[in-house]
Amino acid sequence: MLKYLLVFLVSMVPIIELRGAVPIAIGAYDIDFFPALAICVVGNMLPVPIIYFFARKFLLWGQDKRYIGKLCRFFVVKGEVYGQKLVKKTGRGGLFVALLLFVGIPIPGTGAWTGTLAASFLDMGFKSTVTAVCLGVLLAGIIMAVGSTGVFSFIF
């Protein structure tokens, strides 16, 4: 039971998220494909509403604070830059698909935390954001789970 809880908690951590939790679940703890995927997706999605509703407000508030200002400014800039990149590449109409793919393709700097923050800076609606991020997290989870089971081992 402890291994399931650990994987769940790791999937909630920014930067690591599901991309790190799935290989731990499948590779280190030998959790089956579907339970590992389900635990990691739920864990990665749990912070999304909190990020959407509160992270932007906190970061904007904290920009001029003495100890946290530099870090808050870094994340504000990062959220705005990623958000503008998404709009530039797709326009406002393709934002849903762009967010889904941004979150879903497991490369460094992308994921539910960054995608949700970018969507909040773009004033994308809550329902659209959660749906796109959830589908993206599911896509990333499938990619990571398939890769963690050794399916891509014939390439390397």
Side-chain angles (χ1 to χ4, degrees):
M1 191 62 168
L2 183 59
K3 63 185 180 182
Y4 295 102
L5 179 61
L6 181 62
V7 167
F8 179 79
L9 293 174
V10 167
S11 68
M12 291 172 52
V13 175
I15 301 169
I16 299 170
E17 298 185 38
L18 168 132
R19 290 147 173 78
V22 169
I24 292 170
I26 293 174
Y29 291 134
D30 202 29
I31 299 173
D32 291 332
F33 183 94
F34 290 109
L37 186 60
I39 293 165
C40 292
V41 167
V42 171
N44 200 187
M45 286 301 298
L46 198 62
V48 167
I50 297 164
I51 297 164
Y52 183 85
F53 288 117
F54 301 111
R56 177 181 174 187
K57 291 175 184 172
F58 173 79
L59 293 173
L60 291 173
W61 168 83
Q63 286 186 98
D64 60 351
K65 303 303 181 254
R66 184 175 185 174
Y67 296 106
I68 62 172
K70 191 174 181 179
L71 184 64
C72 287
R73 279 189 300 279
F74 170 79
F75 284 114
V76 166
V77 169
K78 188 173 185 174
E80 288 175 349
V81 166
Y82 279 122
Q84 293 309 316
K85 281 183 182 179
L86 288 175
V87 170
K88 189 175 183 179
K89 287 182 180 178
T90 64
R92 291 297 275 178
L95 199 52
F96 180 89
V97 173
L99 181 60
L100 186 156
L101 293 175
F102 177 82
V103 173
I105 299 172
I107 57 175
T110 67
W113 282 75
T114 309
T116 304
L117 185 59
S120 73
F121 275 101
L122 293 170
D123 294 320
M124 193 171 165
F126 177 72
K127 195 173 184 180
S128 296
T129 298
V130 170
T131 304
V133 169
C134 186
L135 292 172
V137 165
L138 190 57
L139 174 62
I142 291 168
I143 292 169
M144 293 305 299
V146 167
S148 296
T149 59
V151 171
F152 296 127
S153 64
F154 67 90
I155 296 172
F156 304 105

